[in-house]
Amino acid sequence: PTCAWDCPGICEWSGDYDLEDDPIGFCEWVVGTVDDVGTDCIDDCEGDTLTEINAFIEQCPACINSGDPDSAECDIIDE
């Protein structure tokens, strides 16, 4: 989403990138960058976009902890 374009590293995950290619890497970026206490890069996001971003923040730790990009925990990332 455009409201997150000021998040460091967003270019790596935008455009034609398919989250199925590396859901764990994406989640590590979400948890380490977007959900980082010192990062305010999603402060201008709102509504459905913010809801979707917060869903990633909630779901990503389970995907990372699974260690398996094909796990059910990671499948939910690309839905």
Side-chain angles (χ1 to χ4, degrees):
T2 57
C3 65
W5 282 1
D6 54 342
C7 291
I10 188 72
C11 292
E12 189 175 327
W13 306 107
S14 62
D16 293 332
Y17 185 82
D18 187 351
L19 295 180
E20 283 185 13
D21 292 340
D22 187 9
I24 293 175
F26 174 74
C27 280
E28 288 172 339
W29 174 78
V30 166
V31 171
T33 303
V34 178
D35 193 35
D36 185 29
V37 174
T39 302
D40 59 359
C41 66
I42 62 167
D43 283 355
D44 53 341
C45 296
E46 54 188 30
D48 290 341
T49 301
L50 185 58
T51 300
E52 184 178 346
I53 291 169
N54 284 330
F56 281 128
I57 290 170
E58 288 178 27
Q59 297 164 352
C60 276
C63 175
I64 294 168
N65 290 336
S66 77
D68 178 4
D70 296 319
S71 69
E73 293 84 1
C74 292
D75 281 346
I76 202 164
I77 301 303
D78 196 37
E79 291 181 352

Coordinates of all heavy atoms in Angstrom, one line a residue:
P1 N 0.8 -1.2 0.0 CA 0.0 0.0 0.0 C 0.9 1.3 0.0 O 1.9 1.3 0.6 CB -0.8 -0.1 1.3 CG -0.1 -1.1 2.1 CD 0.7 -2.0 1.2
T2 N 0.4 2.3 -0.6 CA 1.2 3.5 -0.7 C 1.5 4.1 0.6 O 2.5 4.8 0.8 CB 0.5 4.6 -1.6 OG1 -0.8 4.8 -1.1 CG2 0.4 4.1 -3.0
C3 N 0.6 3.9 1.6 CA 0.9 4.5 2.9 C 2.1 3.9 3.6 O 2.6 4.5 4.6 CB -0.4 4.4 3.8 SG -0.8 2.7 4.2
A4 N 2.6 2.8 3.1 CA 3.7 2.1 3.7 C 5.0 2.3 2.9 O 6.0 1.7 3.2 CB 3.4 0.6 3.9
W5 N 4.9 3.1 1.9 CA 6.1 3.2 1.0 C 7.3 3.8 1.7 O 8.4 3.7 1.2 CB 5.7 4.1 -0.2 CG 5.0 3.3 -1.3 CD1 4.6 2.0 -1.2 CD2 4.5 3.8 -2.5 NE1 3.9 1.7 -2.3 CE2 3.8 2.8 -3.2 CE3 4.6 5.0 -3.1 CZ2 3.2 2.9 -4.4 CZ3 4.0 5.2 -4.4 CH2 3.3 4.1 -5.0
D6 N 7.1 4.5 2.8 CA 8.3 5.0 3.5 C 8.9 4.0 4.5 O 9.8 4.3 5.2 CB 7.9 6.3 4.2 CG 6.7 6.2 5.2 OD1 5.9 5.3 5.0 OD2 6.5 7.1 6.0
C7 N 8.4 2.8 4.5 CA 8.9 1.7 5.4 C 10.2 1.2 4.7 O 10.3 0.9 3.5 CB 8.0 0.5 5.5 SG 6.5 0.9 6.5
P8 N 11.3 1.2 5.5 CA 12.6 0.7 4.9 C 12.5 -0.7 4.4 O 11.9 -1.6 5.0 CB 13.6 0.7 6.1 CG 12.9 1.5 7.2 CD 11.4 1.5 6.9
G9 N 12.9 -0.9 3.2 CA 12.9 -2.3 2.5 C 11.6 -2.6 1.8 O 11.5 -3.7 1.3
I10 N 10.7 -1.7 1.8 CA 9.4 -2.0 1.1 C 9.5 -2.4 -0.3 O 8.8 -3.2 -0.9 CB 8.4 -0.8 1.3 CG1 7.0 -1.2 0.8 CG2 8.8 0.4 0.5 CD1 6.2 -2.2 1.7
C11 N 10.5 -1.8 -1.0 CA 10.7 -2.1 -2.5 C 11.0 -3.5 -2.7 O 10.6 -4.1 -3.8 CB 11.8 -1.2 -3.0 SG 11.4 0.5 -3.1
E12 N 11.6 -4.2 -1.8 CA 11.9 -5.6 -1.9 C 10.6 -6.5 -2.0 O 10.6 -7.6 -2.6 CB 12.8 -6.1 -0.8 CG 13.3 -7.4 -0.9 CD 14.3 -7.8 0.2 OE1 15.0 -6.8 0.7 OE2 14.3 -8.9 0.6
W13 N 9.5 -6.0 -1.4 CA 8.3 -6.8 -1.3 C 7.1 -6.2 -2.1 O 6.0 -6.7 -1.9 CB 7.9 -6.8 0.2 CG 9.0 -7.3 1.0 CD1 9.8 -6.6 1.9 CD2 9.5 -8.7 1.1 NE1 10.7 -7.4 2.5 CE2 10.6 -8.7 2.0 CE3 9.2 -9.9 0.4 CZ2 11.3 -9.9 2.3 CZ3 9.9 -11.0 0.7 CH2 10.9 -11.0 1.6
S14 N 7.4 -5.2 -2.9 CA 6.3 -4.6 -3.6 C 6.3 -5.0 -5.1 O 7.2 -5.7 -5.6 CB 6.3 -3.1 -3.5 OG 7.5 -2.6 -4.0
G15 N 5.4 -4.5 -5.8 CA 5.3 -4.7 -7.3 C 4.8 -6.1 -7.6 O 3.8 -6.5 -7.0
D16 N 5.5 -6.8 -8.4 CA 5.1 -8.1 -8.9 C 5.5 -9.3 -8.0 O 5.3 -10.4 -8.3 CB 5.6 -8.4 -10.3 CG 5.0 -7.5 -11.3 OD1 3.8 -7.0 -11.1 OD2 5.7 -7.2 -12.3
Y17 N 6.0 -8.9 -6.8 CA 6.5 -9.9 -5.9 C 5.4 -10.8 -5.4 O 4.3 -10.3 -5.0 CB 7.2 -9.3 -4.7 CG 7.9 -10.3 -3.8 CD1 9.1 -10.9 -4.1 CD2 7.2 -10.8 -2.7 CE1 9.7 -11.8 -3.3 CE2 7.8 -11.7 -1.9 CZ 9.0 -12.3 -2.2 OH 9.6 -13.2 -1.4
D18 N 5.5 -12.1 -5.4 CA 4.5 -13.0 -4.9 C 4.9 -13.5 -3.5 O 6.0 -14.1 -3.3 CB 4.4 -14.2 -5.8 CG 3.3 -15.2 -5.5 OD1 2.7 -15.0 -4.4 OD2 3.0 -16.0 -6.3
L19 N 4.1 -13.2 -2.5 CA 4.4 -13.6 -1.1 C 4.7 -15.1 -0.9 O 5.3 -15.5 0.0 CB 3.4 -13.1 -0.2 CG 3.2 -11.6 -0.1 CD1 2.1 -11.2 0.9 CD2 4.5 -10.9 0.4
E20 N 4.1 -15.9 -1.8 CA 4.3 -17.3 -1.8 C 5.8 -17.7 -2.0 O 6.2 -18.8 -1.5 CB 3.5 -18.1 -2.8 CG 2.0 -18.2 -2.4 CD 1.2 -19.0 -3.4 OE1 1.8 -19.7 -4.3 OE2 0.0 -19.0 -3.3
D21 N 6.5 -16.8 -2.6 CA 7.9 -17.1 -2.9 C 8.8 -17.2 -1.6 O 9.7 -17.9 -1.5 CB 8.5 -16.1 -3.9 CG 8.0 -16.2 -5.3 OD1 7.4 -17.3 -5.6 OD2 8.0 -15.2 -6.0
D22 N 8.5 -16.3 -0.7 CA 9.3 -16.2 0.6 C 8.4 -15.7 1.7 O 8.7 -14.6 2.2 CB 10.5 -15.4 0.4 CG 11.5 -15.4 1.5 OD1 11.3 -16.2 2.5 OD2 12.4 -14.6 1.5
P23 N 7.4 -16.4 2.2 CA 6.5 -15.8 3.2 C 7.3 -15.6 4.5 O 7.0 -14.7 5.3 CB 5.4 -16.9 3.4 CG 6.0 -18.1 2.8 CD 6.9 -17.7 1.8
I24 N 8.3 -16.5 4.8 CA 9.0 -16.3 6.1 C 9.9 -15.0 6.0 O 9.9 -14.2 6.9 CB 9.9 -17.5 6.4 CG1 8.9 -18.7 6.7 CG2 10.8 -17.3 7.5 CD1 9.6 -20.0 6.9
G25 N 10.5 -14.8 4.8 CA 11.3 -13.6 4.7 C 10.5 -12.4 4.8 O 10.9 -11.4 5.4
F26 N 9.3 -12.4 4.1 CA 8.3 -11.3 4.2 C 8.0 -11.0 5.7 O 8.0 -9.9 6.2 CB 7.1 -11.5 3.4 CG 6.1 -10.5 3.5 CD1 6.2 -9.2 3.0 CD2 4.9 -10.7 4.3 CE1 5.2 -8.2 3.1 CE2 3.9 -9.8 4.4 CZ 4.1 -8.5 3.9
C27 N 7.6 -12.1 6.4 CA 7.2 -12.0 7.8 C 8.3 -11.5 8.7 O 8.1 -10.7 9.6 CB 6.7 -13.3 8.3 SG 5.0 -13.6 7.8
E28 N 9.5 -11.9 8.4 CA 10.7 -11.4 9.2 C 10.8 -9.9 8.9 O 11.1 -9.1 9.9 CB 11.9 -12.1 8.8 CG 12.0 -13.5 9.3 CD 13.1 -14.3 8.8 OE1 13.7 -14.0 7.8 OE2 13.5 -15.4 9.5
W29 N 10.6 -9.4 7.7 CA 10.6 -8.0 7.4 C 9.5 -7.3 8.1 O 9.7 -6.2 8.7 CB 10.5 -7.8 5.9 CG 10.4 -6.3 5.6 CD1 11.5 -5.4 5.6 CD2 9.2 -5.6 5.2 NE1 11.0 -4.1 5.3 CE2 9.6 -4.2 5.0 CE3 7.9 -6.0 5.1 CZ2 8.7 -3.3 4.7 CZ3 7.0 -5.0 4.7 CH2 7.4 -3.7 4.5
V30 N 8.3 -7.8 8.1 CA 7.1 -7.2 8.8 C 7.4 -7.0 10.2 O 7.2 -6.0 10.8 CB 5.8 -8.0 8.5 CG1 4.7 -7.6 9.5 CG2 5.3 -7.9 7.1
V31 N 7.8 -8.1 10.9 CA 8.0 -8.1 12.3 C 9.2 -7.2 12.7 O 9.2 -6.4 13.6 CB 8.2 -9.5 12.9 CG1 8.7 -9.5 14.3 CG2 7.0 -10.3 12.7
G32 N 10.3 -7.2 11.9 CA 11.5 -6.5 12.2 C 11.4 -5.0 11.8 O 12.1 -4.2 12.3
T33 N 10.5 -4.7 10.8 CA 10.5 -3.3 10.3 C 9.1 -2.6 10.6 O 9.1 -1.6 11.3 CB 10.7 -3.3 8.8 OG1 12.0 -3.9 8.5 CG2 10.7 -1.8 8.3
V34 N 8.1 -3.2 10.1 CA 6.8 -2.6 10.3 C 6.3 -2.6 11.7 O 5.7 -1.6 12.2 CB 5.7 -3.3 9.3 CG1 4.4 -2.7 9.5 CG2 6.2 -3.2 7.9
D35 N 6.5 -3.7 12.4 CA 6.0 -3.8 13.8 C 7.1 -3.3 14.8 O 6.8 -3.4 16.0 CB 5.7 -5.3 14.1 CG 4.9 -5.4 15.4 OD1 4.1 -4.5 15.7 OD2 5.0 -6.5 16.1
D36 N 8.2 -2.8 14.4 CA 9.2 -2.3 15.3 C 8.7 -1.1 16.0 O 8.2 -0.2 15.4 CB 10.5 -2.0 14.5 CG 11.6 -1.6 15.4 OD1 11.7 -2.1 16.5 OD2 12.5 -0.8 14.9
V37 N 8.9 -1.0 17.3 CA 8.4 0.0 18.1 C 8.9 1.4 17.6 O 8.2 2.4 17.7 CB 8.8 -0.2 19.6 CG1 8.5 1.0 20.5 CG2 8.2 -1.4 20.1
G38 N 10.2 1.5 17.2 CA 10.7 2.7 16.7 C 10.4 3.1 15.3 O 10.7 4.2 14.9
T39 N 9.6 2.3 14.6 CA 9.2 2.6 13.2 C 7.8 3.2 13.2 O 6.9 2.7 13.7 CB 9.3 1.3 12.4 OG1 10.6 0.8 12.4 CG2 8.9 1.6 10.9
D40 N 7.7 4.3 12.5 CA 6.4 5.0 12.4 C 6.0 5.0 10.9 O 5.2 5.8 10.5 CB 6.4 6.4 12.9 CG 7.4 7.3 12.2 OD1 8.2 6.8 11.3 OD2 7.5 8.5 12.6
C41 N 6.5 4.0 10.1 CA 6.3 4.1 8.7 C 4.9 3.7 8.2 O 4.5 3.9 7.1 CB 7.3 3.2 8.0 SG 7.2 1.4 8.3
I42 N 4.0 3.2 9.1 CA 2.6 2.9 8.8 C 1.7 3.8 9.5 O 0.5 3.6 9.4 CB 2.2 1.4 9.0 CG1 2.4 1.1 10.5 CG2 3.0 0.5 8.1 CD1 1.7 -0.3 10.8
D43 N 2.2 4.9 10.1 CA 1.3 5.8 10.8 C 0.3 6.5 10.0 O -0.8 6.9 10.5 CB 2.2 6.9 11.5 CG 2.9 6.4 12.8 OD1 2.6 5.2 13.2 OD2 3.7 7.1 13.4
D44 N 0.5 6.6 8.7 CA -0.4 7.3 7.8 C -1.4 6.3 7.2 O -2.2 6.7 6.3 CB 0.2 8.2 6.8 CG 1.3 7.5 6.0 OD1 1.8 6.4 6.4 OD2 1.7 8.0 4.9
C45 N -1.3 5.0 7.5 CA -2.2 4.0 7.0 C -3.5 4.1 7.8 O -3.5 4.3 9.0 CB -1.6 2.6 7.1 SG -0.2 2.4 6.0
E46 N -4.6 3.8 7.2 CA -5.9 3.8 7.9 C -6.9 2.8 7.3 O -6.6 2.3 6.2 CB -6.5 5.2 8.0 CG -6.6 5.8 6.6 CD -7.0 7.3 6.7 OE1 -6.7 8.0 7.7 OE2 -7.7 7.8 5.8
G47 N -8.0 2.6 7.9 CA -9.1 1.8 7.4 C -8.7 0.4 7.1 O -8.0 -0.3 7.9
D48 N -9.2 -0.1 6.0 CA -9.0 -1.5 5.6 C -7.5 -1.8 5.4 O -7.0 -2.9 5.7 CB -9.7 -1.9 4.3 CG -11.2 -1.9 4.5 OD1 -11.7 -2.1 5.6 OD2 -11.9 -1.8 3.5
T49 N -6.7 -0.9 4.9 CA -5.3 -1.1 4.7 C -4.6 -1.3 6.1 O -3.8 -2.2 6.2 CB -4.7 0.2 4.0 OG1 -5.3 0.3 2.8 CG2 -3.2 0.0 3.8
L50 N -4.9 -0.5 7.1 CA -4.3 -0.7 8.4 C -4.8 -2.0 9.0 O -3.9 -2.7 9.6 CB -4.7 0.5 9.3 CG -4.0 0.5 10.7 CD1 -2.5 0.4 10.6 CD2 -4.5 1.6 11.5
T51 N -6.0 -2.4 8.8 CA -6.5 -3.7 9.3 C -5.7 -4.8 8.6 O -5.3 -5.8 9.3 CB -8.0 -3.8 9.0 OG1 -8.7 -2.8 9.6 CG2 -8.5 -5.2 9.4
E52 N -5.5 -4.7 7.3 CA -4.7 -5.8 6.7 C -3.2 -5.8 7.2 O -2.7 -6.9 7.4 CB -4.7 -5.5 5.1 CG -4.0 -6.6 4.4 CD -4.1 -6.4 2.9 OE1 -4.9 -5.5 2.4 OE2 -3.3 -7.1 2.2
I53 N -2.6 -4.7 7.3 CA -1.3 -4.7 7.9 C -1.2 -5.2 9.3 O -0.3 -6.0 9.6 CB -0.7 -3.2 7.8 CG1 -0.5 -2.8 6.4 CG2 0.6 -3.1 8.6 CD1 -0.2 -1.3 6.2
N54 N -2.2 -4.9 10.1 CA -2.2 -5.4 11.5 C -2.4 -6.9 11.5 O -1.9 -7.6 12.3 CB -3.3 -4.7 12.3 CG -2.8 -3.3 12.7 OD1 -1.6 -3.1 12.9 ND2 -3.7 -2.4 12.9
A55 N -3.2 -7.4 10.5 CA -3.4 -8.9 10.4 C -2.0 -9.6 10.1 O -1.7 -10.6 10.7 CB -4.4 -9.2 9.3
F56 N -1.2 -9.0 9.2 CA 0.1 -9.5 8.9 C 0.9 -9.5 10.2 O 1.6 -10.5 10.5 CB 0.8 -8.7 7.9 CG 0.4 -9.0 6.4 CD1 0.0 -8.0 5.6 CD2 0.4 -10.3 6.0 CE1 -0.3 -8.3 4.3 CE2 0.0 -10.6 4.7 CZ -0.4 -9.6 3.8
I57 N 0.9 -8.4 10.9 CA 1.7 -8.3 12.2 C 1.3 -9.4 13.2 O 2.1 -10.0 13.8 CB 1.5 -6.9 12.8 CG1 2.2 -5.9 11.9 CG2 2.1 -6.8 14.2 CD1 1.9 -4.4 12.2
E58 N 0.0 -9.7 13.2 CA -0.5 -10.8 14.1 C -0.1 -12.2 13.6 O 0.2 -13.0 14.4 CB -2.0 -10.6 14.3 CG -2.4 -9.5 15.1 CD -3.9 -9.3 15.2 OE1 -4.6 -10.4 15.1 OE2 -4.4 -8.2 15.4
Q59 N -0.2 -12.4 12.3 CA -0.1 -13.7 11.8 C 1.4 -14.1 11.5 O 1.8 -15.3 11.6 CB -0.8 -13.9 10.5 CG -2.3 -13.7 10.6 CD -3.0 -13.4 9.3 OE1 -2.4 -13.2 8.3 NE2 -4.3 -13.4 9.3
C60 N 2.2 -13.1 11.3 CA 3.6 -13.4 10.9 C 4.5 -14.2 11.9 O 5.2 -15.1 11.5 CB 4.3 -12.2 10.5 SG 4.0 -11.7 8.7
P61 N 4.4 -13.9 13.2 CA 5.2 -14.7 14.2 C 4.9 -16.2 14.1 O 5.9 -17.0 14.2 CB 4.8 -14.1 15.5 CG 4.4 -12.7 15.2 CD 3.7 -12.8 13.9
A62 N 3.7 -16.6 13.8 CA 3.4 -18.0 13.7 C 4.0 -18.6 12.5 O 4.5 -19.7 12.5 CB 1.9 -18.3 13.7
C63 N 4.0 -17.9 11.4 CA 4.7 -18.3 10.1 C 6.2 -18.5 10.4 O 6.8 -19.5 10.0 CB 4.4 -17.3 9.0 SG 5.3 -17.7 7.5
I64 N 6.8 -17.5 11.0 CA 8.2 -17.5 11.2 C 8.6 -18.7 12.1 O 9.5 -19.5 11.9 CB 8.7 -16.2 11.9 CG1 8.6 -15.0 10.9 CG2 10.2 -16.3 12.4 CD1 8.7 -13.7 11.5
N65 N 7.8 -18.9 13.2 CA 8.1 -19.9 14.2 C 7.9 -21.3 13.6 O 8.5 -22.3 14.0 CB 7.2 -19.8 15.4 CG 7.6 -18.6 16.2 OD1 8.7 -18.2 16.2 ND2 6.7 -18.1 17.0
S66 N 7.0 -21.4 12.5 CA 6.8 -22.7 11.9 C 8.1 -23.2 11.2 O 8.3 -24.4 11.1 CB 5.6 -22.7 10.9 OG 6.0 -22.0 9.7
G67 N 8.8 -22.2 10.6 CA 10.1 -22.6 9.9 C 9.8 -23.3 8.6 O 10.7 -23.7 7.9
D68 N 8.5 -23.3 8.2 CA 8.2 -24.0 6.9 C 7.3 -23.1 6.1 O 6.2 -22.8 6.4 CB 7.4 -25.3 7.3 CG 6.9 -26.0 6.1 OD1 7.2 -25.7 4.9 OD2 6.2 -27.1 6.3
P69 N 7.9 -22.6 5.0 CA 7.1 -21.7 4.1 C 5.8 -22.3 3.5 O 5.0 -21.5 3.1 CB 8.1 -21.3 3.0 CG 9.1 -22.3 3.0 CD 9.2 -22.9 4.4
D70 N 5.7 -23.6 3.6 CA 4.5 -24.3 3.0 C 3.5 -24.6 4.1 O 2.5 -25.3 3.9 CB 4.9 -25.5 2.3 CG 5.8 -25.2 1.1 OD1 5.4 -24.2 0.4 OD2 6.8 -25.9 0.8
S71 N 3.8 -24.2 5.4 CA 2.9 -24.5 6.5 C 1.6 -23.8 6.4 O 1.5 -22.7 5.7 CB 3.6 -24.2 7.8 OG 3.7 -22.8 7.9
A72 N 0.6 -24.2 7.1 CA -0.7 -23.5 7.2 C -0.5 -22.1 7.8 O -1.2 -21.2 7.4 CB -1.7 -24.4 8.1
E73 N 0.4 -22.0 8.7 CA 0.7 -20.7 9.3 C 1.2 -19.7 8.3 O 0.9 -18.5 8.3 CB 1.7 -20.8 10.4 CG 1.2 -21.5 11.6 CD 1.4 -23.1 11.5 OE1 1.9 -23.5 10.5 OE2 0.9 -23.7 12.5
C74 N 1.9 -20.2 7.3 CA 2.4 -19.3 6.2 C 1.5 -19.1 5.1 O 1.5 -18.1 4.4 CB 3.8 -19.7 5.7 SG 5.1 -19.6 7.0
D75 N 0.6 -20.1 4.9 CA -0.3 -20.1 3.8 C -1.3 -18.9 3.9 O -1.7 -18.3 3.0 CB -1.2 -21.3 3.7 CG -0.4 -22.5 3.0 OD1 0.6 -22.2 2.3 OD2 -0.9 -23.6 3.1
I76 N -1.6 -18.5 5.2 CA -2.5 -17.5 5.4 C -2.0 -16.1 5.0 O -2.7 -15.2 4.8 CB -2.9 -17.5 6.9 CG1 -4.3 -16.8 7.1 CG2 -1.9 -16.9 7.8 CD1 -4.9 -17.1 8.5
I77 N -0.7 -16.0 4.9 CA 0.0 -14.7 4.5 C -0.4 -14.3 3.1 O -0.5 -13.2 2.8 CB 1.5 -14.8 4.7 CG1 1.9 -15.2 6.1 CG2 2.2 -13.6 4.3 CD1 1.4 -14.3 7.2
D78 N -0.6 -15.3 2.2 CA -0.8 -14.9 0.8 C -2.3 -14.9 0.5 O -2.6 -14.8 -0.7 CB 0.0 -15.9 -0.1 CG 0.1 -15.4 -1.5 OD1 0.3 -14.2 -1.7 OD2 0.0 -16.2 -2.4
E79 N -3.1 -15.0 1.4 CA -4.6 -15.0 1.1 C -5.1 -13.6 0.9 O -4.6 -12.6 1.4 CB -5.4 -15.7 2.2 CG -5.1 -17.2 2.2 CD -5.8 -17.9 3.2 OE1 -6.5 -17.4 4.1 OE2 -5.7 -19.2 3.2

